[in-house]
Amino acid sequence: MVQENGVPVGMKHYPAEFKADAVALYRSRPGATIKSVATDLGVNTETLRNWIRAADGRRSGAHSTPAAAPRPDGDGVQAELAAARKRIRELEEERDILRKAARYFAGRRAGEPLPVR
């Protein structure tokens, strides 16, 4: 493949923040597949998989954060409330990531290649 500025022609370049947000979105969705998240973001499945692998090299951890543990007082209502608040935070993070992605992709014309940096 012919290269321009060290980047193979035809390859898209994504900002580091977008990559980190994509990985965070994948990890915040328990049970989500790489394919489904990649489709939602409009990126290649293997591209997202590589971003996740790169992030795992810097940070050890599983696909998603562990479920909230019940509080020692044994009050089921408090544990349920804590779990609901945690889920709300996850959903808000997903929403924010998708908003950023939408703004990123809306900032260019249809068919226009992504900027090379």
Side-chain angles (χ1 to χ4, degrees):
M1 212 180 263
V2 178
Q3 293 190 354
E4 284 182 16
N5 299 326
V7 178
V9 174
M11 292 186 68
K12 297 179 182 178
H13 176 77
Y14 298 93
E17 181 182 10
F18 181 81
K19 293 176 186 180
D21 288 345
V23 172
L25 178 62
Y26 169 72
R27 289 190 173 135
S28 70
R29 290 184 175 176
T33 62
I34 291 175
K35 182 178 181 177
S36 67
V37 174
T39 301
D40 289 348
L41 295 174
V43 299
N44 183 287
T45 303
E46 287 305 312
T47 300
L48 178 58
R49 187 181 320 276
N50 290 335
W51 296 345
I52 293 167
R53 286 180 183 151
D56 285 342
R58 291 188 300 267
R59 175 185 160 275
S60 63
H63 164 71
S64 61
T65 56
R71 297 201 174 167
D73 62 3
D75 188 4
V77 173
Q78 290 298 321
E80 188 175 341
L81 179 60
R85 286 180 175 156
K86 181 176 187 285
R87 182 67 181 143
I88 289 169
R89 283 191 306 273
E90 290 172 353
L91 292 170
E92 288 172 341
E93 181 180 342
E94 287 180 23
R95 178 202 62 205
D96 293 343
I97 291 168
L98 290 171
R99 281 183 178 167
K100 286 180 185 178
R103 280 195 305 267
Y104 176 79
F105 286 110
R108 61 185 190 90
R109 293 184 211 132
E112 180 180 301
L114 293 173
V116 179
R117 294 183 184 169

